Structures are given as structure tokens and as C-alpha cells.
Amino acid sequence: MPIKVKNNLPAKKIMEKENIFMMDEERAVSQDIRPLYIAILNLMPLKEETEVQLLRSLSNTPLQLVITFLTTATYTGKNTPESHLNEFYKTYDEVKDRKFDGLIITGAPIEHMEFEDVQYWDELTKIMEWSKTNVTSTLHVCWGAQAGLYYHYGIHKYMLPKKISGVYEHHVHHRKVPLLRGFDDVFYAPHSRHTGVNHDEIAACKELTVLADSDEAGELILLSSDNKQVFVLGHLEYDRLTLDSEYKRDLKRGLNPDIPVNYYPDDDPTKKPLLRWRGASNAMYSNWVNYYVYQNTPYEWE
């Protein structure tokens, strides 16, 4: 799929080395088609790493996507150069009068905090409210999914006894739902979080359907009844070595982390991790773009 980004975005060079078609601005304007406009609210501290992961995940559809990266105005992290943010990112105030076909809200490493205590919570709630009228479909990831479930449906999160980290087996429910087309009955997906969501509140919410879950890690994919909100509580976008980097980072910090589950061969961190979720990731992101964005968005926004 052609993804249109700025010509000098660092992630573009990485994608091209992987033979993923990235369209530059000059070529895009010569194509007489209606592209899809996707905004990505990137709340992760290592923004460039997340850019690569999400662009790779979105790269398996023949549709042309125009990507706009968003960041918060009320909080600026220290891990991404300001020059990168100034060149490649916009804030909510700069796009609030626009319409987008899709929006992705990423996770953030702030699980220990109550939602209302997050510095940019008010700004995030404005964006989530704005998405109801200005976005065809919104995909929430990990903490972004917890925040969306809380804001839209009052679903609470809670601290787990210990961190969930690893690649877990999941079961598909409601196979005929388009978001799950191409999925096997059982598939793997990475999780990396210290919190869970309230199962009873989800079960009691008639507007939510659980599409996939794990006996060990809990819910993974949930869908709203109007198909406009998708919640993914794991990290299908993760690269092969993302959990490895997190594990070794926590080791250096003296946190004594558990070895990620079902990740290293023989649970040996010196061995190359197994990549077992790329197929499910490609299927889900392609299905979201095709069935929940492209098939539902208007050709011309009014």
C-alpha cells in the first residue's frame, strides 16, 4: 500500500529498506484518487520507534493513506527531539477543524496514574470527543484503549499483581465480524502492561463486543456497537525485538522483571525472539482500514 508521508521523515527510509512502498509528496499529487486521511496521536515517549511500528502495520492495503502525526500541546516528552516534533507533528488545535477518515490513539507508559491525574487528560478527552464527529473510525491501542474505554463507557482499569509481559494465546469470537477476517481460531499477540480492565463492567456494557481474548491476559480486541471505536488492549504493532528491549531496559533499572512469556526460545533471553503475531497484526490493521475506514467514510466530508 502507498503511505504518503513527508519526504524526509526518518521512518520513510526504514520502510523503504523493508521494501514497503512509501509514496513521496510529489508522486502522490499526480494520482487522481481520493486518499484516506489517517491521524496518529502518538503518546509514546520513543515516537520515532512507534512511527515505524504503526506505518509498518498500516502497509498492507492497496489504498493510499495520508498520515498526520499528532502530539499533545499540554505535555512535551524529553525522548523525542523538539526539531522532529516541530517538523512532523501537529497539535489538536491545528487540526480540530479538519475531518479524518481514521484516527489511531497509541499507548503511553503512565498506567500507574489515574486518568484524571495525567497532565494531558483534558486535551485527550477533547480529542476523543472531537473524534465522534470528525473521524470515521478510531483505533485505540493499549493505554489508549484503556483511556478510551474509560472515557466513552466508564470502564475502569486496575493494577495487576505483576506486569503482564509476553506473547499470549488468544481466542477469536464473532468470526463473521469484518475486523477478524483472515484470523485463525487461535492466534498470538504481545502484551506489555501493569494494568487490566474491569471484566464485569465490560460484560455489562451492551455497546461493547469482545472480539478476542486470552485466558491469561484477558481482553484484547473490543468493538463498539456503531463500529466507530476499536479497542486493542495489547500491542499487535510491536516489532520482533520490542519486548526484548523492554525486558533488558527493566533489567538495567534493577526491576527484576520476569522473562516475557512465550517469547524467547527455551525462555533463553540470549536467543532471538520468535515472531508469532505478524499475520494477525497485518490482518487486523488491513481490516480496520478497509472495512471500518474506507468502506464507511464519505467521499466528501460535509
Side-chain angles (χ1 to χ4, degrees):
M1 150 194 87
I3 297 177
K4 180 185 172 236
V5 294
K6 286 195 172 183
N7 295 351
N8 56 339
L9 180 74
K12 180 173 181 287
K13 296 180 180 178
I14 297 174
M15 297 291 99
E16 289 172 338
K17 288 180 180 177
E18 298 179 13
N19 292 322
I20 293 174
F21 181 24
M22 301 292 289
M23 180 176 292
D24 61 29
E25 295 165 302
E26 286 78 8
R27 182 167 182 180
V29 297
S30 68
Q31 292 198 332
D32 187 21
I33 61 174
R34 152 78 157 86
L36 296 176
Y37 292 90
I38 308 292
I40 298 176
L41 177 59
N42 190 351
L43 303 174
M44 293 294 283
L46 300 177
K47 295 196 182 326
E48 293 182 60
E49 179 180 296
T50 304
E51 292 163 14
V52 171
Q53 293 174 358
L54 288 174
L55 290 178
R56 184 183 291 117
S57 299
L58 292 167
S59 67
N60 291 284
T61 165
L63 302 167
Q64 183 188 137
L65 308 184
V66 178
I67 305 297
T68 299
F69 288 106
L70 303 179
T71 188
T72 53
T74 45
Y75 175 78
T76 302
K78 301 177 182 178
N79 296 284
T80 302
E82 187 175 347
S83 59
H84 186 86
L85 294 175
N86 290 338
E87 184 165 5
F88 301 113
Y89 280 74
K90 296 184 181 298
T91 64
Y92 165 68
D93 284 338
E94 294 177 285
V95 302
K96 64 183 180 182
D97 295 326
R98 292 179 56 185
K99 305 288 187 180
F100 286 90
D101 304 301
L103 168 67
I104 297 175
I105 300 176
T106 74
I110 48 177
E111 297 174 87
H112 62 286
M113 301 177 65
E114 296 295 333
F115 292 119
E116 290 83 359
D117 294 335
V118 174
Q119 186 171 338
Y120 51 79
W121 179 247
D122 288 343
E123 183 178 6
L124 178 56
T125 59
K126 286 182 181 179
I127 293 171
M128 289 191 289
E129 187 63 29
W130 165 85
S131 73
K132 293 179 180 180
T133 54
N134 287 55
V135 177
T136 299
S137 180
T138 301
L139 174 61
H140 310 71
V141 178
C142 201
W143 182 86
Q146 294 183 345
L149 288 170
Y150 178 68
Y151 177 75
H152 292 294
Y153 303 105
I155 307 296
H156 291 81
K157 65 181 178 71
Y158 63 92
M159 293 298 299
L160 295 167
K162 64 177 181 178
K163 182 180 181 180
I164 287 179
S165 176
V167 183
Y168 296 87
E169 185 178 274
H170 293 77
H171 304 275
V172 163
H173 308 289
H174 308 285
R175 169 165 298 285
K176 293 184 179 179
V177 172
L179 192 64
L180 297 180
R181 287 185 181 173
F183 274 69
D184 295 322
D185 289 338
V186 176
F187 67 96
Y188 288 91
H191 288 262
S192 178
R193 49 187 168 83
H194 295 272
T195 52
V197 290
N198 190 295
H199 309 288
D200 294 335
E201 291 178 349
I202 288 175
C205 183
K206 296 181 180 179
E207 297 177 74
L208 289 173
T209 300
V210 177
L211 300 184
D213 59 12
S214 164
D215 294 338
E216 299 171 281
E219 294 87 355
L220 175 67
I221 305 174
L222 300 93
L223 179 66
S224 66
S225 57
D226 61 3
N227 292 336
K228 288 178 64 67
Q229 309 287 341
V230 178
F231 305 92
V232 181
L233 290 157
H235 282 288
L236 281 168
E237 82 285 357
Y238 266 10
D239 294 335
R240 179 194 299 270
L241 296 177
T242 307
L243 286 174
D244 177 69
S245 298
E246 293 179 357
Y247 171 68
K248 292 174 179 176
R249 175 202 65 197
D250 290 348
L251 276 178
K252 289 181 179 179
R253 292 176 177 176
L255 300 178
N256 193 30
D258 291 341
I259 295 175
V261 174
N262 298 326
Y263 184 53
Y264 299 109
D266 304 317
D267 285 336
D268 184 351
T270 66
K271 295 183 178 180
K272 185 178 181 180
L274 295 173
L275 179 60
R276 297 196 280 188
W277 60 92
R278 184 58 55 80
S281 176
N282 289 343
M284 192 207 71
Y285 277 91
S286 295
N287 289 341
W288 176 67
V289 170
N290 184 25
Y291 299 114
Y292 296 83
V293 179
Y294 174 65
Q295 300 289 348
N296 289 312
T297 201
Y299 187 84
E300 292 184 3
W301 281 93
E302 294 181 1

